[in-house]
Structure formats: structure tokens, C-alpha cells
């Protein structure tokens, strides 16, 4: 020990090394001793004050309001439940910081069945003082060296070494394997460690060492190891109490009370770090001159004041300071001190334990004191024993008051009048000094008589508990690997996306030429975007998205006014007979006309019909096939305008003038084009997905004419139906396709649009459950139900403003019983699925805008894209990802995305207006 410490009390307080006064007689000596020891008495009131004040400090810290350095820290760990008893496997455990200057390595085997135990193998290593106070790297290199020495001595058969790191210092944990040291306590002060992740430092050191490949899976405080390793008795052990070199406790707190956590369910283990408790009001009256002297000499003056009255590192030192003082007062050792007595650290915890033990006998006390170079008189041994008892008793009572605070906290948070609880105890002070526990117990009974506490000694010095946490962490890490493997095919790189873009451009060209292609490239007979001269009142229908709408659109010089009403199309109608569907549509129109006072009028009508149609003119559209959730019979191959006219005919009372049939992409482009003449692309990402754009007429093989433009409905949802997306399709896409009403059709759409993303997520969740990664491996009926996972949940769950607990609540509302770990994984699944969708969509848009640029032979193209669809509009990240992908893949196009605010009905009305204008011109 250093020489500054050796001078200790003597220089500061001016004590001579040998009393120069006349020696007091033995009875005076004992009086002097007893008088001095009065300072170590702590009254019941003082204990109560400490209990109350510590409880206050704990509650403040839980609420996130702890400001003073003397407050307790209340550090949440990532341990959320006490062991199930089913944990199994072999684990390496490294313990640093609990027991003085030693480091322990253990090999723990968990048997997976309660009650079955195998003794661990362990080895202790002494850490040299220069390592405890030197550079951090040296400390961690030392630890790595001890690990390989241990493994050299006890070779193990497995290559797969998983390590739990018991690191007993205050740390901010951000994961089971991420923990930043806040400050050293006890006898450590290595540079370059505070503020760093100790797991990473250990991993780096193990790598530098190079002898073994060891995965550091979890990091825990010793109190947590103590609690987790405890054999469950009547109930689980929910408090871990350590009195070793230092002192601390952890306990299971309700997560909702821990302000720093984003969690409102379940419990979390919180490390109190009560060693730093030092509230002046509470501790002031019990602090002695010896406590102040000890604090001043310590490595961390002013810090850990409470720990310095209880922890084993300090008890010997307190006894030494008292003995030196009493010797200098002439009350002990004939008034003489010795160099050893005046040297810091010369009396250790084990000396005090032995001297205080009534069974040890005076001879042993003599021997210890003589070893310190003291001349021991007849009454000295007994008086020294008093000193040890006083110091020890105070420590046990203070520790009892602190435990009482934790128990009151538990009682309060559990809202239980009578608390029955098991406390796991660990550390050398408990192990070597049985009366410590009995004094502590008495104090607890005095302060919280309504708590029924059983004390259970920890197993393997906490090593087993560390192994338990490691087992859980290892399982979670394995789950994460499985999750990553599952999601890997959804993570597309730039090359893959560029390949999609290139394939799309090729398919577009083929489709336009009339060659076999999965892109139909349907002419729409829309030859120009609006020029602003359109006028009149129009009816519009909007069928095929989430809502069926009937609209009245008034286009005037002052702008466009829209009145609309949403009608439902029951699934039985969408998938019933064609006649029934079109009759229903006409019924809705009649209802709308009546409500709007339009009955009897024959306004021109534009029909947004969002399905693939081969158009032969503006008012002729042959339905090629149904998509999305529609499957009404006898419609495919028929002219939809005729079907509508026939239904009107059946309802003889109505007159309607169907002028144009428009795809929703076209309606959207026209609607946005009314505001921005650069809008030459329409994009829908809603229930389905599709795009249209203005193509050069000369490129459109199926329509006569070489000049001018025509809007082409790409029907890109079907892209890849020829198998060209094969490499990108996952087994989950195949599952969704198989279960759909149109297997083998709309491949691109099924990877992108709202009708399918929730289903993809659901299939992934089913798979992860079957692997045991999610929902504890339990398949639920709910999750097996088709379409329960709506795409709107993706948008909600992925919202940045949502805390994880809200994500959890959404999923629980769906009837999925899940933990926070589950919630996080579900979130990641959603993100992977929607990100792929947005990127594929972006690759498609990049193909379209590049095609336009190439058509026009431009170096740079500036163009706008009109967009609609609930997925695009409601998802928090979809639009950003589409834009980013387009920038990446089509850098020579400056693309602006305009969200359609009025739906495509307005566009259909505009198309109708143009048609009416042209028809009038024809007549003129
Ligand atoms: C609407 C348009 O706003 O968006 C429809 O008016 C279009 O024509 C629809 O079909 C697409 O989005 P969703 O999400 O309703 O399918
Ligand atoms: C110190 C540490 C704490 C540990 C305790 C017991 O107080 O700061 O983390 O639990 O000692 O070892
Ligand atoms: C489907 C339809 C298509 C429509 C798209 C968006 O893909 O086939 O016509 O544009 O959905 O609603």
C-alpha cells in the first residue's frame, strides 16, 4: 500500500506514534474505547431516516429526476424475468470486481432441469495492484490471459465458447451485451474505461490474445448474478444483495416505473447502486471522524460514502483507523502504534472477521495484532474485539436499513400490504461472518415488520446466475441470427435493383412492340395532359381502390370542386356475378344523384376502373382479367362500358352518358397534371400497384399514327409473371401467391402493394414462430388467420413517433401474446418487407423516367410523377425510399413526386371534359 496512506491519521490529526502521557489504567482504557465506539452506534430513528431517505432517492432516480451525485443510480439491466429453471448448456463466466483484487473464471454447466446441479470448475487469479490502477487495456488483457490460462488447464470439448461477464461496477446497460462503465468504484481506477463499453473492451482483448475464440454474450452486475442463480424456493428470488468488497442490491421493478425505459409491461431487474448513496441529511449524523478520514484516503474521495461504511474493502480499514486512534490515545497497546498499524490496508476484512468471531479465542486475536508489530496487553484482545464488533454491527444495521428501503419500494410498487419475498445473498461478508446476516435480519424486521423475508445464500458465488443470464442472451443471439437469415433475401442491393430496372425497361419495349412480355403496355387513348381550358359538370366513378366512390366534379375557371360519397362493395359482390356488381354500381349512382338533386340529368360520366383493360377508344375497355380482391363472373373479356350501360338499361329510370373509361394511374396523372404540366407519369401504390406515362405514339405498335403522345397503362403489377423476378422471390412471396385468388399472376404487385405486404409479414412471422424465434414458439390461431395483419399495421408500427410499447399494444390488440423482444423483431420484419417494396417500386419508376428521357434523347429530364394510394400516403418511410431509389438508379432524371389530393375521380372527369371538348369540335 502506498506511503501517503501510511501516514494516515497521524500527520493530519497530530497523534504521536506512542502516547507521551501517562498510560491510563485498564478500566479507563475500556471506558475510552467504549466512548470512542459510541460513534458507531446507530439509533432506530437514524436507521428509519436512512431507510426513508434512500427510498426517496430510489424513487427519484426511477422517475428520472436524480440530479445530485450522492443519489442512488437505479440502473436498469436487460434482465426481464427470473430464471425458468429450463436454461441449459455450458458457459464460461468471468467475474471482475466483486471480490477485491481477484478475478474468477468459472465453467458452469446448466442442466435444464430444476434442482439438478453440477459443481462448476473455477479458478481465481490475483490482479496485481498496478493492473488495477493502470491502463484499461492492461486490465482487459490480463482478464483475457486468465481466460486462456483457465482453458489451458481445463480443456473443454466444445469450440463454441459463450461467456457471461460479471462486471461489478455501475454501468449504463443498453443491451444484454452492451454496458458502459459510469465510474470505477472500490479499489479499481484504470484509465480509458469510464464511458466505454466494457464488453467491447473484453472482446478486443480476447481477440488480441488470440488463443481462444470466445463470444461475450452477456454482461451482468454481481447482484444480478446472485439473484438469478438462486434456487427458487416457495416463490422466485426477486432481490439480490451483495456485501463483498463493496455493497449493492438489485430487485425486480415494474417496468412502467422506470422512466428511462420505453416499456410499460412486465418487470425489469434494476441495480440500485446504493453504494453511492450519501445524502448528507441521512448519513451526516452517522458519519464518524473515521469515516471522513477513510474517505479522504480512498481512491475516490467524496464518492460511494454509504459503501465505505459497509463494504468489505473498508471494514478492515475502519477498524485500523479506530485502533490507531485508540493506541495514540493510550487506550490500547500500551499507547504504542506500529508502522503496520499506521499503514493503509494492513488490516483486512478477514482479520476483522477472525478477531470478531467469539469462537476464535484470544490467542488468535493476539497473533493477528502481533503480526502487526503491536505489543498486546492483557485487556487489548477483548477491546479490539469490541472495536471489530462495533464496526461490523453498524455495517450490518445500515445494510439492513438499505434493504428495508428496497423492500418498502417493492411493497409499494406491487401494491401489497404483506410482502412475501426471497432475497438472495452473496459476498464474502455474508459467507464468512454469519452474525452479519442475523443483525441485518433483525434490522429488517424492525423497519419493515410487515415483510416476510427469507434469505437464500447464492450458489457458486453468483456464477450460476451469470450463466443463467448468458443462456438467455445466447438464445436471443441465436434468434437474432435466424431473424437475419430470414430477412436477408428481402435486403436488395444496388445491383439487384438496377437489374430490376433494366428488366423492366426491356419488358416495356417488348410490350410496346406487341411482343411477348409480362408488361401489357395498354394504350389509354389519352393523348394529352390537361391544358386548363376544360370546363363543365361531370359525374365520375372510382372503382378498384380501397373505396368505391361516386363523385360530382365541377370544373370552372375558378378551379375544380368535388362532391363525393363513398359506397361499400361487399366482398360477396366483388366476387359474385358481374351483373350483380354492375347493378350495385348503378344503384349507388342513383342514390348519389338523388342526394345531390341531380336525378333526371344526364351528365357526362368518367369511369375510373382500376383493372387491366384493352381499350379501343376512350369509351371502350375490355377487361382482360380481374386483379386485387375482385373476381366477379362473366366480366373478363367484356367491354366494361357496355356492362355499365346494360346495368343502366336495366334500371330504366336513369340516364347516364358514359364518355370515358380511365385507369386509376391515368386519373391520378391527369389530376396532378391539372396543377403541374410536367406531370407525365401516374403511380399508384395502394391496394394494388401500377404506373402509366406519356409514351411517343410512334413507339406504340398497336395504335396507328407516328406523331404525338399517348398515355400507356403499363399494368406493371404483372411484371415478372413470366418468371423474370424468380431470383428475388422468397418462399414467403410464393406462400402469399399460392393463397391468393389469382396464383401466378401479379408477381410485382404481390411484392409491393398494400393488399399483400401484411400477408408477407404474417407468413414470415409464422416461419419465425416455427423456428421458436417468436412468441416462444407457440403458434396461435390468430396468426394462422389470413389477412389479420393489415398493411395499415405496417404503417402504424413503423412510425418513428411510436414507442416500442405502442408497437406491442398494436400487436397485442391483434391477439398476439408477445414480449418486448418479440415486438422489436416484428418491427424489423415489417421494415424489411416495406423497404423491399419501396425499393422495387423505385426501380420501376426509375425505368419509366429513363424511358421517357431516352425517348426524347435528353441529357437531363425534369419530370413529375402524380402518386396516389394508401400505402404510399400513410406509410412513414415508403415515399422517401422510393425517391431515394429513383435518385440512385436514374441520376439523370430530376423527379418530383406529387401526391394526388383529390383521388383519380377528378382526373377521370378531366379526361371526360377533354373528350367532350373534342367531340364538340368534331361536331362543329
Ligand atoms: C384513390 C384513387 O385515391 O387511390 C383511386 O381515387 C385509386 O382511383 C386509389 O385506385 C388507390 O389507392 P388504394 O389504397 O385505395 O388502393
Ligand atoms: C460496488 C459496485 C456495484 C457492485 C457492488 C458489489 O458498489 O459499484 O456495481 O454491485 O460494489 O460488488
Ligand atoms: C391493379 C390493377 C391496375 C391498377 C392497380 C392500382 O394492379 O390491375 O389496373 O392500376 O391495381 O389500383
Amino acid at each position: 500500500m502506498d506511503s501517503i496512506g501510511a501516514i494516515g491519521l497521524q500527520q493530519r490529526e497530530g497523534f504521536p506514534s506512542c502516547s507521551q502521557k501517562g498510560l491510563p489504567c485498564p478500566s479507563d482504557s475500556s471506558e475510552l474505547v467504549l466512548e470512542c465506539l459510541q460513534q458507531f452506534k446507530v439509533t432506530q430513528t437514524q436507521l428509519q431516516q436512512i431507510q426513508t431517505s434512500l427510498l426517496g432517492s430510489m424513487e427519484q432516480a426511477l422517475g428520472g429526476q436524480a440530479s445530485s451525485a450522492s443519489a442512488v443510480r437505479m440502473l436498469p439491466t436487460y434482465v426481464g424475468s427470473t430464471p425458468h429453471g429450463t436454461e441449459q448448456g455450458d458457459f464460461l463466466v468471468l467475474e471482475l470486481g466483486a471480490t477485491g483484487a481477484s478475478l474468477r473464471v468459472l465453467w458452469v454447466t446448466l442442466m435444464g432441469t430444476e434442482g439438478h446441479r453440477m459443481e462448476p470448475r473455477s479458478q481465481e487469479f490475483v490482479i496485481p495492484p498496478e493492473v488495477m490502477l493502470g491502463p484499461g487495456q492492461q486490465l482487459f488483457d490480463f482478464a483475457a490471459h486468465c481466460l486462456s490460462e483457465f482453458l489451458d488447464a481445463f480443456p473443454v470439448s466444445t469450440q463454441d465458447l459463450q461467456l457471461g461477464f460479471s462486471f461489478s461496477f455501475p454501468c449504463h446497460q443498453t443491451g444484454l451485451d452492451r454496458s458502459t462503465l459510469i465510474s470505477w468504484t472500490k479499489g479499481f481506477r484504470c484509465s480509458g474505461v469510464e464511458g466505454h463499453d466494457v464488453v467491447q473492451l473484453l472482446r478486443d482483448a480476447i481477440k488480441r490474445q488470440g488463443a481462444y475464440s470466445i463470444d461475450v454474450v452477456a454482461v451482468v452486475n454481481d447482484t444480478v448474478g446472485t439473484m438469478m442463480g438462486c434456487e427458487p424456493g416457495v416463490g422466485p428470488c426477486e432481490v439480490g444483495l451483495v456485501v463483498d468488497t463493496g455493497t449493492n442490491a438489485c430487485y425486480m421493478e415494474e417496468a412502467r416505473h422506470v422512466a428511462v425505459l420505453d416499456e410499460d409491461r412486465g418487470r425489469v431487474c434494476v441495480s440500485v447502486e446504493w453504494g453511492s448513496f450519501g445524502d448528507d441529511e441521512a448519513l451526516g449524523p452517522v458519519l464518524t471522524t473515521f469515516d471522513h478520514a477513510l474517505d479522504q484516503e480512498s481512491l475516490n474521495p467524496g464518492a460511494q460514502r454509504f459503501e465505505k461504511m459497509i463494504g468489505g474493502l473498508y471494514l478492515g480499514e475502519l477498524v485500523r483507523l479506530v485502533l490507531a486512534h485508540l493506541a495514540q490515545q493510550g487506550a490500547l497497546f500500551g499507547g504504542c502504534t506500529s508502522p503496520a498499524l499506521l499503514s493503509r490496508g494492513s488490516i483486512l476484512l478477514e482479520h476483522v472477521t477472525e478477531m470478531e468471531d467469539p469462537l476464535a479465542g484470544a490467542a488468535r486475536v493476539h497473533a493477528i495484532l502481533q503480526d502487526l508489530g503491536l505489543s498486546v496487553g492483557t485487556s487489548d484482545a477483548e477491546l479490539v474485539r469490541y472495536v471489530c464488533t462495533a464496526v461490523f454491527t453498524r455495517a450490518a444495521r445500515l445494510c439492513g436499513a438499505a434493504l428495508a428501503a428496497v423492500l418498502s419500494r417493492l411493497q409499494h410498487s406491487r401494491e401489497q400490504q404483506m410482502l412475501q419475498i426471497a432475497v438472495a445473498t452473496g459476498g464474502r461478508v455474508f459467507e464468512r461472518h454469519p452474525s452479519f446476516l442475523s443483525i441485518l435480519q433483525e434490522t429488517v424486521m424492525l423497519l419493515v415488520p410487515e415483510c416476510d423475508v427469507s434469505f437464500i445464500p447464492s450458489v457458486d458465488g453468483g456464477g450460476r446466475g451469470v450463466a443463467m443470464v448468458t443462456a438467455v442472451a445466447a438464445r436471443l443471439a441465436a434468434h437474432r441470427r435466424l431473424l437475419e437469415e430470414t430477412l436477408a433475401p428481402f435486403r436488395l442491393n444496388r445491383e439487384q435493383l438496377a437489374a430490376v430496372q433494366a428488366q423492366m425497361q426491356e419488358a416495356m419495349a417488348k410490350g410496346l412492340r406487341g411482343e411477348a412480355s409480362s408488361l401489357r403496355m395498354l394504350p389509354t387513348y389519352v393523348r394529352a395532359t390537361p391544358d386548363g381550358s376544360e370546363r363543365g359538370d361531370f359525374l365520375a366513378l372510382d372503382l378498384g381502390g380501397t373505396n368505391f366512390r361516386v363523385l360530382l366534379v365541377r370544373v370552372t375557371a375558378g378551379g375544380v370542386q368535388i362532391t363525393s360519397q363513398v359506397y361499400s362493395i361487399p366482398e360477396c359482390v366483388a366476387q359474385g356475378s358481374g351483373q350483380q356488381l354492375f347493378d350495385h354500381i348503378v344503384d349507388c349512382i342513383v342514390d348519389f344523384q338523388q342526394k345531390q338533386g341531380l336525378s333526371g340529368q344526364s351528365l357526362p360520366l368518367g369511369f375510373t376502373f382500376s383493372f387491366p383493360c384493352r381499350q379501343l377508344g376512350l369509351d371502350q375497355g375490355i377487361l382482360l382479367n380481374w386483379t386485387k380482391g375482385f373476381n366477379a363472373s362473366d366480366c373478363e373479356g367484356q367491354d366494361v362500358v357496355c356492362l355499365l350501360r346494360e346495368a343502366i338499361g336495366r334500371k330504366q329510370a336513369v340516364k347516364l352518358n358514359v364518355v370515358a373509361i380511365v385507369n386509376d394511374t391515368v386519373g391520378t396523372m391527369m389530376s396532378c397534371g391539372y396543377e403541374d404540366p410536367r406531370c407525365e407519369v401516374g403511380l399508384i401504390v395502394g391496394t394494388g400497384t401500377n404506373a402509366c406515362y406519356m409514351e411517343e405514339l410512334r413507339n406504340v405498335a398497336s395504335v396507328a399514327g407516328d406523331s404525338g403522345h399517348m398515355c400507356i397503362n403499363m399494368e406493371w403489377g404483372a411484371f415478372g409473371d413470366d418468371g423474370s423476378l424468380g431470383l428475388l422471390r422468397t418462399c414467403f412471396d410464393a406462400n402469399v401467391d399460392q393463397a391468393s385468388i389469382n396464383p401466378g399472376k401479379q408477381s410485382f404487385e404481390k411484392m409491393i402493394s398494400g393488399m399483400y405486404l401484411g400477408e408477407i409479414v404474417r407468413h414470415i412471422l409464422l416461419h419465425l414462430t416455427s423456428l421458436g424465434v417468436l412468441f416462444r414458439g407457440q403458434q396461435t390461431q390468430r396468426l394462422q388467420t389470413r389477412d389479420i395483419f393489415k398493411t395499415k399495421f405496417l404503417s402504424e408500427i413503423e412510425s418513428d413517433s411510436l414507442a416500442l410499447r405502442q408497437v406491442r399494444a398494436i400487436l397485442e390488440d391483434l391477439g398476439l401474446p408477445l414480449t418486448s423482444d418479440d415486438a422489436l423483431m416484428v418491427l424489423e420484419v415489417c421494415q424489411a418487407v416495406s423497404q423491399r417494396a419501396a425499393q422495387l417500386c423505385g426501380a420501376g419508376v426509375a425505368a419509366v423516367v429513363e424511358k421517357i428521357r431516352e425517348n426524347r434523347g435528353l441529357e437531363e429530364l425534369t419530370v413529375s410523377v402524380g402518386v396516389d394510394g394508401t400505402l404510399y400516403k400513410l406509410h412513414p418511410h415508403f415515399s422517401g425510399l422510393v425517391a431515394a431509389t429513383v435518385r440512385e438508379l436514374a441520376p439523370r432524371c430530376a423527379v418530383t413526386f406529387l401526391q394526388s389530393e383529390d383521388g383519380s375521380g377528378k382526373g377521370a372527369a378531366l379526361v371526360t371534359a377533354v373528350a367532350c371538348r373534342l367531340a364538340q369540335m368534331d361536331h362543329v
Side-chain angles (χ1 to χ4, degrees), residues 15 18 49 115 211 225 230 239 245 258-259 310-311 322 364 396 423 501 509 552 564 582 687 728 741 787 833:
F15 293 132
C18 206
Q49 271 166 0
C230 197
V239 180
T245 306
V258 188
I310 303 174
V322 177
R364 186 66 197 125
V423 175
Q501 176 190 12
L552 171 64
S564 72
F582 282 90
T687 314
L728 296 186
I741 57 171
D787 289 335
V833 170

Side-chain angles (χ1 to χ4, degrees), residues 803-856:
L804 198 57
R805 70 178 121 97
Q806 289 164 295
V807 172
R808 220 174 121 167
I810 293 174
L811 298 168
E812 275 175 357
D813 280 349
L814 276 176
L816 303 176
L818 75 178
T819 63
S820 305
D821 295 324
D822 289 336
L824 190 63
M825 290 202 198
V826 173
L827 172 64
E828 288 179 45
V829 171
C830 292
Q831 282 167 339
V833 170
S834 59
Q835 170 162 335
R836 182 187 68 159
Q839 288 179 331
L840 287 175
C841 179
V845 174
V848 174
V849 293
E850 268 297 295
K851 176 89 171 65
I852 300 179
R853 188 185 68 77
E854 285 167 19
N855 281 344
R856 301 185 189 170

Side-chain angles (χ1 to χ4, degrees), residues 119-239:
E119 283 307 309
R121 284 193 302 241
S122 73
Q123 194 176 343
E124 201 154 333
F125 299 85
V126 174
I127 312 173
E130 66 276 15
V131 173
M132 288 171 70
L133 301 173
Q137 181 162 333
Q138 191 184 338
L139 173 71
F140 285 92
D141 281 342
F142 178 79
H145 172 79
C146 296
L147 282 170
S148 35
E149 208 176 298
F150 173 85
L151 289 167
D152 289 344
F154 301 107
V156 289
S157 50
T158 169
Q159 287 297 304
D160 185 20
L161 297 169
Q162 294 178 315
L163 180 136
F165 184 21
S166 170
F167 184 74
S168 303
F169 300 94
C171 288
H172 273 305
Q173 250 183 288
T174 51
L176 267 172
D177 65 347
R178 280 191 306 277
S179 196
T180 306
L181 174 65
I182 300 171
S183 59
W184 288 111
T185 54
K186 303 176 280 194
F188 286 79
R189 201 175 53 193
C190 298
S191 57
V193 185
E194 288 176 355
H196 294 270
D197 177 7
V198 293
V199 174
Q200 200 49 50
L201 292 173
L202 180 60
R203 282 183 182 143
D204 293 346
I206 292 172
K207 210 182 249 166
R208 274 196 298 277
Q209 229 274 327
Y212 290 91
S213 121
I214 302 168
D215 191 9
V216 186
V217 180
V219 58
V220 291
N221 185 266
D222 52 356
T223 54
V224 182
T226 299
M227 181 185 83
M228 294 291 284
C230 197
E231 289 284 339
V234 186
C237 226
E238 293 185 287
V239 180

Side-chain angles (χ1 to χ4, degrees), residues 542 544-547 549 608 610 664 684 686-688 868-871 903-905:
D542 188 353
T546 312
N547 297 308
R549 259 182 300 221
T608 302
S610 311
D664 54 355
I684 299 281
T687 314
D868 207 342
T870 29
L871 179 58
S904 65

Side-chain angles (χ1 to χ4, degrees), residues 544-545 609-612 625-628 663-665 684 686-691 713 715 717 746 749:
F609 183 73
S610 311
F611 300 95
N625 55 275
W626 286 114
T627 53
K628 301 178 278 194
N663 186 265
D664 54 355
T665 53
I684 299 281
T687 314
T689 183
N690 188 14
N713 167 13
E715 283 298 328
Q746 303 294 101
E749 178 159 272

